PDB file of all heavy atoms in Angstrom:
ATOM      1  N   ALA T 726      10.139  -8.988 -13.732  1.00 98.00           N
ATOM      2  CA  ALA T 726       9.527  -8.595 -15.061  1.00 98.00           C
ATOM      3  C   ALA T 726      10.563  -8.626 -16.189  1.00 98.00           C
ATOM      4  O   ALA T 726      10.290  -9.090 -17.257  1.00 98.00           O
ATOM      5  CB  ALA T 726       8.840  -7.311 -14.992  1.00 98.00           C
ATOM      6  N   LYS T 727      11.748  -8.098 -15.843  1.00 98.00           N
ATOM      7  CA  LYS T 727      12.851  -8.008 -16.900  1.00 98.00           C
ATOM      8  C   LYS T 727      13.209  -9.407 -17.375  1.00 98.00           C
ATOM      9  O   LYS T 727      13.404  -9.658 -18.501  1.00 98.00           O
ATOM     10  CB  LYS T 727      13.990  -7.166 -16.273  1.00 98.00           C
ATOM     11  CG  LYS T 727      14.546  -6.088 -17.215  1.00 98.00           C
ATOM     12  CD  LYS T 727      15.501  -5.151 -16.443  1.00 98.00           C
ATOM     13  CE  LYS T 727      14.861  -4.049 -15.739  1.00 98.00           C
ATOM     14  NZ  LYS T 727      15.785  -3.504 -14.740  1.00 98.00           N
ATOM     15  N   GLU T 728      13.389 -10.307 -16.369  1.00 97.00           N
ATOM     16  CA  GLU T 728      13.848 -11.589 -16.605  1.00 97.00           C
ATOM     17  C   GLU T 728      12.812 -12.269 -17.585  1.00 97.00           C
ATOM     18  O   GLU T 728      13.183 -13.096 -18.415  1.00 97.00           O
ATOM     19  CB  GLU T 728      13.928 -12.369 -15.414  1.00 97.00           C
ATOM     20  CG  GLU T 728      14.935 -13.424 -15.401  1.00 97.00           C
ATOM     21  CD  GLU T 728      15.307 -13.899 -13.947  1.00 97.00           C
ATOM     22  OE1 GLU T 728      16.041 -13.168 -13.280  1.00 97.00           O
ATOM     23  OE2 GLU T 728      14.910 -14.990 -13.598  1.00 97.00           O
ATOM     24  N   ALA T 729      11.463 -12.080 -17.358  1.00 97.00           N
ATOM     25  CA  ALA T 729      10.401 -12.709 -18.143  1.00 97.00           C
ATOM     26  C   ALA T 729      10.089 -11.907 -19.368  1.00 97.00           C
ATOM     27  O   ALA T 729       9.178 -12.237 -20.088  1.00 97.00           O
ATOM     28  CB  ALA T 729       9.250 -12.896 -17.307  1.00 97.00           C
ATOM     29  N   ASP T 730      10.767 -10.725 -19.630  1.00 97.00           N
ATOM     30  CA  ASP T 730      10.525  -9.867 -20.739  1.00 97.00           C
ATOM     31  C   ASP T 730       9.126  -9.356 -20.872  1.00 97.00           C
ATOM     32  O   ASP T 730       8.447  -9.481 -21.862  1.00 97.00           O
ATOM     33  CB  ASP T 730      10.989 -10.622 -21.983  1.00 97.00           C
ATOM     34  CG  ASP T 730      11.114  -9.660 -23.218  1.00 97.00           C
ATOM     35  OD1 ASP T 730      11.331  -8.427 -22.973  1.00 97.00           O
ATOM     36  OD2 ASP T 730      10.873 -10.122 -24.344  1.00 97.00           O
ATOM     37  N   ILE T 731       8.588  -9.008 -19.633  1.00 98.00           N
ATOM     38  CA  ILE T 731       7.239  -8.343 -19.616  1.00 98.00           C
ATOM     39  C   ILE T 731       7.315  -6.979 -19.002  1.00 98.00           C
ATOM     40  O   ILE T 731       8.217  -6.647 -18.298  1.00 98.00           O
ATOM     41  CB  ILE T 731       6.164  -9.248 -18.933  1.00 98.00           C
ATOM     42  CG1 ILE T 731       6.630  -9.576 -17.516  1.00 98.00           C
ATOM     43  CG2 ILE T 731       5.944 -10.492 -19.703  1.00 98.00           C
ATOM     44  CD1 ILE T 731       5.729 -10.544 -16.825  1.00 98.00           C
ATOM     45  N   HIS T 732       6.295  -6.132 -19.419  1.00 98.00           N
ATOM     46  CA  HIS T 732       6.339  -4.800 -18.992  1.00 98.00           C
ATOM     47  C   HIS T 732       5.593  -4.526 -17.597  1.00 98.00           C
ATOM     48  O   HIS T 732       4.773  -5.407 -17.203  1.00 98.00           O
ATOM     49  CB  HIS T 732       5.714  -3.801 -20.070  1.00 98.00           C
ATOM     50  CG  HIS T 732       6.501  -3.691 -21.230  1.00 98.00           C
ATOM     51  ND1 HIS T 732       6.024  -3.436 -22.504  1.00 98.00           N
ATOM     52  CD2 HIS T 732       7.901  -3.762 -21.388  1.00 98.00           C
ATOM     53  CE1 HIS T 732       7.089  -3.314 -23.361  1.00 98.00           C
ATOM     54  NE2 HIS T 732       8.164  -3.563 -22.664  1.00 98.00           N
ATOM     55  N   ILE T 733       5.925  -3.415 -17.040  1.00 98.00           N
ATOM     56  CA  ILE T 733       5.241  -3.020 -15.790  1.00 98.00           C
ATOM     57  C   ILE T 733       4.511  -1.693 -15.996  1.00 98.00           C
ATOM     58  O   ILE T 733       5.146  -0.707 -16.425  1.00 98.00           O
ATOM     59  CB  ILE T 733       6.100  -2.958 -14.547  1.00 98.00           C
ATOM     60  CG1 ILE T 733       6.937  -4.230 -14.340  1.00 98.00           C
ATOM     61  CG2 ILE T 733       5.303  -2.574 -13.297  1.00 98.00           C
ATOM     62  CD1 ILE T 733       7.878  -4.248 -13.073  1.00 98.00           C
ATOM     63  N   HIS T 734       3.276  -1.569 -15.706  1.00 99.00           N
ATOM     64  CA  HIS T 734       2.499  -0.322 -15.532  1.00 99.00           C
ATOM     65  C   HIS T 734       2.220   0.098 -14.104  1.00 99.00           C
ATOM     66  O   HIS T 734       1.855  -0.897 -13.342  1.00 99.00           O
ATOM     67  CB  HIS T 734       1.285  -0.440 -16.347  1.00 99.00           C
ATOM     68  CG  HIS T 734       0.382   0.735 -16.198  1.00 99.00           C
ATOM     69  ND1 HIS T 734       0.780   2.013 -16.655  1.00 99.00           N
ATOM     70  CD2 HIS T 734      -0.813   0.907 -15.479  1.00 99.00           C
ATOM     71  CE1 HIS T 734      -0.194   2.923 -16.252  1.00 99.00           C
ATOM     72  NE2 HIS T 734      -1.182   2.251 -15.612  1.00 99.00           N
ATOM     73  N   LEU T 735       2.526   1.200 -13.800  1.00 98.00           N
ATOM     74  CA  LEU T 735       2.195   1.671 -12.474  1.00 98.00           C
ATOM     75  C   LEU T 735       0.921   2.584 -12.433  1.00 98.00           C
ATOM     76  O   LEU T 735       0.952   3.500 -13.058  1.00 98.00           O
ATOM     77  CB  LEU T 735       3.468   2.549 -11.898  1.00 98.00           C
ATOM     78  CG  LEU T 735       3.229   3.140 -10.505  1.00 98.00           C
ATOM     79  CD1 LEU T 735       3.086   2.008  -9.344  1.00 98.00           C
ATOM     80  CD2 LEU T 735       4.339   4.077 -10.105  1.00 98.00           C
ATOM     81  N   ASP T 736       0.015   2.128 -11.683  1.00 98.00           N
ATOM     82  CA  ASP T 736      -1.158   2.988 -11.349  1.00 98.00           C
ATOM     83  C   ASP T 736      -0.637   3.914 -10.235  1.00 98.00           C
ATOM     84  O   ASP T 736      -0.721   3.556  -9.083  1.00 98.00           O
ATOM     85  CB  ASP T 736      -2.369   2.164 -10.887  1.00 98.00           C
ATOM     86  CG  ASP T 736      -3.565   3.051 -10.571  1.00 98.00           C
ATOM     87  OD1 ASP T 736      -3.358   4.278 -10.498  1.00 98.00           O
ATOM     88  OD2 ASP T 736      -4.693   2.474 -10.258  1.00 98.00           O
ATOM     89  N   GLY T 737      -0.220   5.086 -10.624  1.00 98.00           N
ATOM     90  CA  GLY T 737       0.376   6.023  -9.649  1.00 98.00           C
ATOM     91  C   GLY T 737      -0.626   7.208  -9.443  1.00 98.00           C
ATOM     92  O   GLY T 737      -0.150   8.338  -9.460  1.00 98.00           O
ATOM     93  N   ALA T 738      -1.822   6.922  -9.426  1.00 98.00           N
ATOM     94  CA  ALA T 738      -2.922   7.942  -9.242  1.00 98.00           C
ATOM     95  C   ALA T 738      -2.400   8.951  -8.200  1.00 98.00           C
ATOM     96  O   ALA T 738      -2.470  10.217  -8.328  1.00 98.00           O
ATOM     97  CB  ALA T 738      -4.259   7.317  -8.730  1.00 98.00           C
ATOM     98  N   ARG T 739      -1.876   8.397  -7.128  1.00 98.00           N
ATOM     99  CA  ARG T 739      -1.293   9.282  -6.041  1.00 98.00           C
ATOM    100  C   ARG T 739       0.162   9.067  -5.970  1.00 98.00           C
ATOM    101  O   ARG T 739       0.777   8.972  -4.747  1.00 98.00           O
ATOM    102  CB  ARG T 739      -1.961   9.012  -4.719  1.00 98.00           C
ATOM    103  CG  ARG T 739      -3.475   9.399  -4.710  1.00 98.00           C
ATOM    104  CD  ARG T 739      -4.144   9.268  -3.326  1.00 98.00           C
ATOM    105  NE  ARG T 739      -5.542   9.639  -3.337  1.00 98.00           N
ATOM    106  CZ  ARG T 739      -6.442   8.728  -3.737  1.00 98.00           C
ATOM    107  NH1 ARG T 739      -6.182   7.561  -4.014  1.00 98.00           N
ATOM    108  NH2 ARG T 739      -7.683   9.183  -3.776  1.00 98.00           N
ATOM    109  N   VAL T 740       0.893   9.077  -6.999  1.00 98.00           N
ATOM    110  CA  VAL T 740       2.376   8.832  -6.925  1.00 98.00           C
ATOM    111  C   VAL T 740       3.101   9.903  -6.265  1.00 98.00           C
ATOM    112  O   VAL T 740       4.179   9.659  -5.656  1.00 98.00           O
ATOM    113  CB  VAL T 740       2.906   8.473  -8.386  1.00 98.00           C
ATOM    114  CG1 VAL T 740       3.136   9.814  -9.202  1.00 98.00           C
ATOM    115  CG2 VAL T 740       4.288   7.769  -8.236  1.00 98.00           C
ATOM    116  N   PHE T 741       2.626  11.166  -6.306  1.00 98.00           N
ATOM    117  CA  PHE T 741       3.248  12.252  -5.681  1.00 98.00           C
ATOM    118  C   PHE T 741       3.032  12.211  -4.131  1.00 98.00           C
ATOM    119  O   PHE T 741       3.874  12.651  -3.450  1.00 98.00           O
ATOM    120  CB  PHE T 741       2.882  13.579  -6.207  1.00 98.00           C
ATOM    121  CG  PHE T 741       3.475  13.811  -7.539  1.00 98.00           C
ATOM    122  CD1 PHE T 741       2.763  13.596  -8.729  1.00 98.00           C
ATOM    123  CD2 PHE T 741       4.752  14.184  -7.699  1.00 98.00           C
ATOM    124  CE1 PHE T 741       3.307  13.744  -9.957  1.00 98.00           C
ATOM    125  CE2 PHE T 741       5.426  14.366  -8.908  1.00 98.00           C
ATOM    126  CZ  PHE T 741       4.644  14.122 -10.181  1.00 98.00           C
ATOM    127  N   ASN T 742       1.962  11.644  -3.732  1.00 98.00           N
ATOM    128  CA  ASN T 742       1.690  11.361  -2.296  1.00 98.00           C
ATOM    129  C   ASN T 742       2.688  10.234  -1.849  1.00 98.00           C
ATOM    130  O   ASN T 742       3.351  10.428  -0.775  1.00 98.00           O
ATOM    131  CB  ASN T 742       0.276  10.916  -2.054  1.00 98.00           C
ATOM    132  CG  ASN T 742      -0.708  11.957  -2.244  1.00 98.00           C
ATOM    133  OD1 ASN T 742      -1.169  12.100  -3.336  1.00 98.00           O
ATOM    134  ND2 ASN T 742      -1.025  12.733  -1.245  1.00 98.00           N
ATOM    135  N   ALA T 743       2.888   9.265  -2.693  1.00 98.00           N
ATOM    136  CA  ALA T 743       3.829   8.241  -2.432  1.00 98.00           C
ATOM    137  C   ALA T 743       5.256   8.747  -2.212  1.00 98.00           C
ATOM    138  O   ALA T 743       6.016   8.474  -1.297  1.00 98.00           O
ATOM    139  CB  ALA T 743       3.755   7.039  -3.414  1.00 98.00           C
ATOM    140  N   ALA T 744       5.625   9.618  -3.249  1.00 98.00           N
ATOM    141  CA  ALA T 744       6.937  10.147  -3.217  1.00 98.00           C
ATOM    142  C   ALA T 744       7.161  11.051  -2.061  1.00 98.00           C
ATOM    143  O   ALA T 744       8.289  11.016  -1.321  1.00 98.00           O
ATOM    144  CB  ALA T 744       7.186  10.980  -4.545  1.00 98.00           C
ATOM    145  N   THR T 745       6.168  11.824  -1.637  1.00 98.00           N
ATOM    146  CA  THR T 745       6.295  12.637  -0.473  1.00 98.00           C
ATOM    147  C   THR T 745       6.426  11.855   0.748  1.00 98.00           C
ATOM    148  O   THR T 745       7.262  12.104   1.594  1.00 98.00           O
ATOM    149  CB  THR T 745       4.952  13.538  -0.349  1.00 98.00           C
ATOM    150  OG1 THR T 745       4.834  14.312  -1.470  1.00 98.00           O
ATOM    151  CG2 THR T 745       5.027  14.439   0.898  1.00 98.00           C
ATOM    152  N   ALA T 746       5.649  10.784   0.912  1.00 98.00           N
ATOM    153  CA  ALA T 746       5.637   9.917   2.047  1.00 98.00           C
ATOM    154  C   ALA T 746       6.964   9.076   2.190  1.00 98.00           C
ATOM    155  O   ALA T 746       7.581   8.812   3.265  1.00 98.00           O
ATOM    156  CB  ALA T 746       4.588   8.957   2.184  1.00 98.00           C
ATOM    157  N   LEU T 747       7.492   8.716   0.985  1.00 98.00           N
ATOM    158  CA  LEU T 747       8.794   7.965   0.939  1.00 98.00           C
ATOM    159  C   LEU T 747      10.026   8.858   0.989  1.00 98.00           C
ATOM    160  O   LEU T 747      11.160   8.485   1.028  1.00 98.00           O
ATOM    161  CB  LEU T 747       8.785   7.077  -0.308  1.00 98.00           C
ATOM    162  CG  LEU T 747       7.924   5.872  -0.303  1.00 98.00           C
ATOM    163  CD1 LEU T 747       7.843   5.254  -1.792  1.00 98.00           C
ATOM    164  CD2 LEU T 747       8.188   4.850   0.605  1.00 98.00           C
ATOM    165  N   ASN T 748       9.730  10.194   0.885  1.00 98.00           N
ATOM    166  CA  ASN T 748      10.726  11.225   0.800  1.00 98.00           C
ATOM    167  C   ASN T 748      11.747  11.013  -0.291  1.00 98.00           C
ATOM    168  O   ASN T 748      12.997  11.075  -0.105  1.00 98.00           O
ATOM    169  CB  ASN T 748      11.483  11.181   2.197  1.00 98.00           C
ATOM    170  CG  ASN T 748      12.209  12.512   2.475  1.00 98.00           C
ATOM    171  OD1 ASN T 748      11.845  13.495   1.819  1.00 98.00           O
ATOM    172  ND2 ASN T 748      13.198  12.442   3.359  1.00 98.00           N
ATOM    173  N   VAL T 749      11.249  10.741  -1.496  1.00 98.00           N
ATOM    174  CA  VAL T 749      12.025  10.646  -2.693  1.00 98.00           C
ATOM    175  C   VAL T 749      11.363  11.431  -3.857  1.00 98.00           C
ATOM    176  O   VAL T 749      10.224  11.799  -3.755  1.00 98.00           O
ATOM    177  CB  VAL T 749      12.160   9.162  -3.182  1.00 98.00           C
ATOM    178  CG1 VAL T 749      12.981   8.367  -2.140  1.00 98.00           C
ATOM    179  CG2 VAL T 749      10.833   8.466  -3.454  1.00 98.00           C
ATOM    180  N   ASP T 750      12.009  11.684  -4.930  1.00 98.00           N
ATOM    181  CA  ASP T 750      11.410  12.192  -6.092  1.00 98.00           C
ATOM    182  C   ASP T 750      10.605  11.194  -6.774  1.00 98.00           C
ATOM    183  O   ASP T 750      10.865   9.969  -6.634  1.00 98.00           O
ATOM    184  CB  ASP T 750      12.445  12.712  -7.142  1.00 98.00           C
ATOM    185  CG  ASP T 750      13.056  14.056  -6.715  1.00 98.00           C
ATOM    186  OD1 ASP T 750      12.351  14.783  -6.035  1.00 98.00           O
ATOM    187  OD2 ASP T 750      14.192  14.311  -7.067  1.00 98.00           O
ATOM    188  N   ALA T 751       9.472  11.601  -7.377  1.00 98.00           N
ATOM    189  CA  ALA T 751       8.591  10.661  -8.051  1.00 98.00           C
ATOM    190  C   ALA T 751       9.366   9.681  -9.037  1.00 98.00           C
ATOM    191  O   ALA T 751       9.030   8.558  -9.222  1.00 98.00           O
ATOM    192  CB  ALA T 751       7.454  11.317  -8.742  1.00 98.00           C
ATOM    193  N   LEU T 752      10.409  10.326  -9.693  1.00 97.00           N
ATOM    194  CA  LEU T 752      11.052   9.504 -10.697  1.00 97.00           C
ATOM    195  C   LEU T 752      11.940   8.343 -10.024  1.00 97.00           C
ATOM    196  O   LEU T 752      12.107   7.376 -10.790  1.00 97.00           O
ATOM    197  CB  LEU T 752      12.060  10.400 -11.646  1.00 97.00           C
ATOM    198  CG  LEU T 752      13.111  11.230 -10.922  1.00 97.00           C
ATOM    199  CD1 LEU T 752      14.370  10.441 -10.696  1.00 97.00           C
ATOM    200  CD2 LEU T 752      13.399  12.434 -11.870  1.00 97.00           C
TER     201      LEU T 752
END
Side-chain angles (χ1 to χ4, degrees):
K727 231 170 268 161
E728 207 163 288
D730 196 25
I731 55 187
H732 287 154
I733 303 183
H734 170 68
L735 177 66
D736 178 350
R739 294 188 181 84
V740 77
F741 288 99
N742 293 88
T745 302
L747 291 168
N748 200 21
V749 296
D750 282 334
L752 57 84

